[in-house]
Amino acid sequence: MAKENIEQNKNEDDFKLMVSKMNHRLEKIHLGGGEAKIAKQHKKGKLTARERIEYLLDEGKPHYEIGAFAGYEMYEEYGGAPAGGVVVVVGYVRGRQCIVVANDATVKAGAWFPITGKKNLRAQEIAMENKLPIIYLVDSAGVFLPMQDEIFPDKEHFGRIFRNNAVMSSKGIIQIAAIMGSCVAGGAYLPIMSDEALIVEGTGSIYLAGPYLVKAAIGETIDNETLGGATTQSEISGVVDYKMKDDKTCLDTIKDLVDKIGSFDKAGFNREKPVPPKFKAEELFQVFPVERTKQYDTVDILKRIVDDSKITQYKAGYGKTIICAYARIDGWSVGIVANHRKVVKSAKGEMQFGGVIYSDSADKATRFIMVCNQKKIPLIFLHDVSGFMVGSRSEHGGIIKDGAKMVNAVSNSTVPKISIVMGNSYGAGNYAMCGKAYDPRFIVSWPTARLAVMGGSQAAKTLLQIQTKTMENRGETISEAEKEELLKKITDRYDNQTTPYYAASRLWVDAIINPVDTRNWISMAIEAANNAPIEKFNVGAIQT
């Protein structure tokens, strides 16, 4: 017992260190372009993007940020782009859940990098899927010209944003835009394609071409304010609806506008009075192993997340490497699909590896997903999966067929899906457990997460064999020492690409979160999803 306590304490220390490193990185990201740029913003009489959001959101109410690590360790040749140069937060304005998108003018004057466009599109996707009002706080110099070919013309590029503006308006999803700084060229369409637009006097400006370009194009000499300042666009052109004297007045007016929005139909997910878990969330640091090869009981994780630490397992004695269970999280009824990380014995007496999906566990999960759809119960996926079982026995047993059924069920599920990547999320296991490609309403990871085609050790050895064989085919020889050096180089590169930070920088996950916040994240995600009624149930097409 003493040995077990020592291991738990060490694991807790290691885990908390990982969380501390994550928070340290976030603190640096929150500074945007740095303290000097923040001071320059204040000197102009402007709040920063994060200050604007803080002032806008209801004090004391929970909120969460989407894509804080977007662009992390990317674009370093240009000085970097903390948070992708745009801050996206889901929170409450006058009691109504909204999504807020604010350009960070301290990062390259709010210019759009490729990841900025992807992050804005993700924010709009969240608004559309969950029918959340979206508020744009615009302060941007437009497309980052050195990378214009990677952001301008494609389906997932800059122009898609304006198409989404139009689609959201047609669906009655409220869009409010505030021009609080520069708003130029194609970017000018975003606020004006929103339902209502505000502009801040003295700092806000909006036009298709600035004074320099106007001079070059048609020879006209004109100043910034006369061309597209607050007075021009609110009193002469009528392009914007409200002229505001400063940032805070503008944000106060947005609060008043949101306050007047009527009620819409809800999805109607079941919710009762929340009951806290019997076990402390902080104990997750002890029961979830930092060392990814260690086994653990996934039920211990669930007991620290769900209401009253109570779960009702579906087919508990069958397909044991996946746990399917009903529970409540902060009062919300949920269906949980979680990889079980203990070595278990099947009903046939066969030993099954924890974290691996076998035919029976895939079959169980498929049926459970279908039942949750019939009952209109949101699905929560907890990832710690190495993939599907391989080998002749699995192939002869139809693992591909059973895996395909599970992927089919996940793909066609119409109830909201929320994914938490706790540990490994490898290969087709990522797909079956509702990875990013399978439209989870929200997907977040813990600092312990790993996302890749396969584990680092297996991948590195496979890549080494391929590279060694290629060299031998060219008549080149390679010593054992050179093989070891090459293996280390491949392993280091591959391991870096499997970290949650690599995934979050590319928006494969929406956020990296502290595990103790998992319960709150899931609750707010379901609340967001509850704003969008479910229109159809089509999982009946799955072959069983």
Side-chain angles (χ1 to χ4, degrees):
M1 191 67 180
K3 183 180 179 182
E4 183 180 346
N5 289 337
I6 291 171
E7 287 184 358
Q8 285 184 342
N9 290 338
K10 182 182 184 305
N11 193 78
E12 182 176 8
D13 290 343
D14 291 343
F15 210 142
K16 286 184 175 179
L17 182 61
M18 294 177 78
V19 172
S20 177
K21 286 180 179 178
M22 177 190 76
N23 289 333
H24 178 72
R25 288 167 176 170
L26 282 172
E27 286 173 7
K28 189 173 180 181
I29 287 169
H30 290 171
L31 289 174
E35 293 179 354
K37 294 287 181 65
I38 292 172
K40 188 177 180 181
Q41 186 99 333
H42 289 163
K43 191 174 181 180
K44 292 178 180 178
K46 297 162 67 176
L47 299 173
T48 65
R50 293 184 182 277
E51 288 168 343
R52 287 166 176 165
I53 291 175
E54 183 181 4
Y55 186 86
L56 179 64
L57 296 182
D58 294 348
E59 189 175 355
K61 292 276 282 183
H63 66 273
Y64 52 81
E65 185 171 350
I66 302 294
F69 283 101
Y72 181 71
E73 294 186 339
M74 296 169 65
Y75 315 121
E76 291 185 342
E77 67 272 34
Y78 299 113
V86 63
V87 184
V88 176
V89 171
V90 178
Y92 299 87
V93 178
R94 293 289 173 89
R96 181 181 289 270
Q97 201 174 36
C98 301
I99 186 160
V100 185
V101 181
N103 300 114
D104 188 348
T106 70
V107 180
K108 293 289 187 296
W112 290 59
F113 288 80
I115 198 66
T116 317
K118 187 174 182 179
K119 187 171 175 179
N120 275 264
L121 289 171
R122 175 62 180 143
Q124 290 183 321
E125 181 181 46
I126 291 170
M128 286 189 282
E129 285 183 334
N130 302 289
K131 288 185 164 50
L132 292 180
I134 185 167
I135 299 165
Y136 307 101
L137 306 180
V138 184
D139 193 350
S140 172
V143 168
F144 186 63
L145 289 178
M147 303 188 75
Q148 65 84 27
D149 62 318
E150 296 182 45
I151 190 173
F152 169 63
D154 211 341
K155 184 177 179 179
E156 294 185 348
H157 286 177
F158 188 66
R160 184 76 171 183
I161 290 163
F162 316 131
R163 173 264 186 195
N164 287 351
N165 288 143
V167 170
M168 281 192 279
S169 286
S170 74
K171 293 183 177 181
I173 298 167
I174 307 301
Q175 299 174 88
I176 298 171
I179 303 155
M180 309 184 79
S182 297
C183 185
V184 300
Y189 287 106
L190 183 146
I192 308 311
M193 292 188 74
S194 299
D195 302 303
E196 292 182 281
L198 308 86
I199 189 167
V200 178
E201 205 171 357
T203 56
S205 58
I206 178 169
Y207 34 62
L208 292 181
Y212 293 116
L213 185 54
V214 168
K215 177 69 173 178
I218 63 173
E220 180 183 3
T221 301
I222 190 168
D223 66 86
N224 190 67
E225 192 66 26
T226 306
L227 181 64
T231 299
T232 296
Q233 300 293 26
S234 62
E235 298 179 14
I236 299 174
S237 70
V239 163
V240 298
D241 306 306
Y242 307 92
K243 182 173 76 170
M244 303 284 100
K245 68 176 183 178
D246 54 33
D247 276 15
K248 289 188 175 180
T249 304
C250 180
L251 296 168
D252 285 334
T253 304
I254 293 173
K255 294 178 187 181
D256 290 338
L257 294 174
V258 172
D259 188 50
K260 307 303 185 296
I261 299 172
S263 298
F264 295 89
D265 292 339
K266 301 286 187 182
F269 301 129
N270 183 291
R271 192 180 196 187
E272 293 185 354
K273 185 178 179 181
V275 178
K278 291 180 179 178
F279 298 88
K280 294 179 180 179
E282 288 76 10
E283 292 174 2
L284 289 168
F285 295 134
Q286 296 180 355
V287 298
F288 187 87
V290 169
E291 191 178 322
R292 296 288 55 251
T293 57
K294 287 189 175 181
Q295 300 286 307
Y296 62 92
D297 192 336
T298 303
V299 173
D300 290 337
I301 305 299
L302 300 181
K303 285 180 178 179
R304 287 152 179 84
I305 295 174
V306 306
D307 287 19
D308 202 31
S309 300
K310 181 181 178 182
I311 63 172
T312 303
Q313 283 206 49
Y314 173 83
K315 292 181 180 289
Y318 177 70
K320 295 179 183 178
T321 63
I322 286 183
I323 292 174
C324 295
Y326 299 108
R328 290 190 181 274
I329 294 179
D330 198 30
W332 295 104
S333 169
V334 298
I336 296 171
V337 180
N339 302 114
H340 196 29
R341 286 291 300 190
K342 286 188 75 174
V343 173
V344 296
K345 184 183 289 187
S346 74
K348 297 178 181 179
E350 300 166 350
M351 299 307 296
Q352 297 182 336
F353 296 103
V356 177
I357 302 175
Y358 290 77
S359 285
D360 54 357
S361 48
D363 175 65
K364 177 173 80 170
T366 299
R367 293 174 182 275
F368 182 71
I369 290 165
M370 292 173 65
V371 173
C372 285
N373 272 264
Q374 290 171 337
K375 293 181 175 180
K376 199 161 74 170
I377 299 175
L379 285 159
I380 313 300
F381 292 84
L382 299 177
H383 297 222
D384 196 354
V385 58
S386 302
F388 285 89
M389 190 59 191
V390 297
S392 59
R393 179 178 293 178
S394 293
E395 297 295 354
H396 296 170
I399 186 66
I400 296 175
K401 171 173 58 70
D402 292 318
K405 288 178 184 177
M406 185 175 175
V407 171
N408 195 333
V410 171
S411 302
N412 286 305
S413 175
T414 54
V415 295
K417 299 167 292 190
I418 297 159
S419 284
I420 314 292
V421 186
M422 304 185 302
N424 301 334
S425 190
Y426 292 154
N430 171 272
Y431 304 157
M433 292 297 293
C434 195
K436 183 64 183 289
Y438 289 81
D439 299 321
R441 294 292 180 94
F442 296 92
I443 178 170
V444 299
S445 79
W446 290 359
T448 44
R450 291 290 182 271
L451 290 86
V453 171
M454 64 180 74
S457 176
Q458 302 96 308
K461 288 175 182 176
T462 301
L463 291 168
L464 177 65
Q465 289 173 14
I466 294 170
Q467 201 157 337
T468 301
K469 187 66 175 177
T470 301
M471 294 174 71
E472 289 173 351
N473 289 341
R474 291 200 301 255
E476 301 175 13
T477 57
I478 181 169
S479 67
E480 289 302 316
E482 288 172 328
K483 282 184 181 180
E484 286 295 323
E485 185 179 348
L486 185 56
L487 179 62
K488 184 180 183 307
K489 184 178 179 181
I490 293 171
T491 302
D492 290 346
R493 184 178 73 246
Y494 193 90
D495 285 347
N496 177 64
Q497 293 174 352
T498 67
T499 68
Y501 298 100
Y502 192 90
S505 70
R506 288 151 181 82
L507 291 173
W508 300 344
V509 296
D510 293 320
I512 307 172
I513 66 169
N514 187 330
V516 302
D517 296 328
T518 302
R519 178 177 161 87
N520 293 333
W521 258 90
I522 292 172
S523 177
M524 280 194 70
I526 297 174
E527 183 181 350
N530 197 41
N531 288 291
I534 297 173
E535 298 175 358
K536 60 182 179 178
F537 298 93
N538 59 359
V539 291
I542 300 167
Q543 296 178 358
T544 57

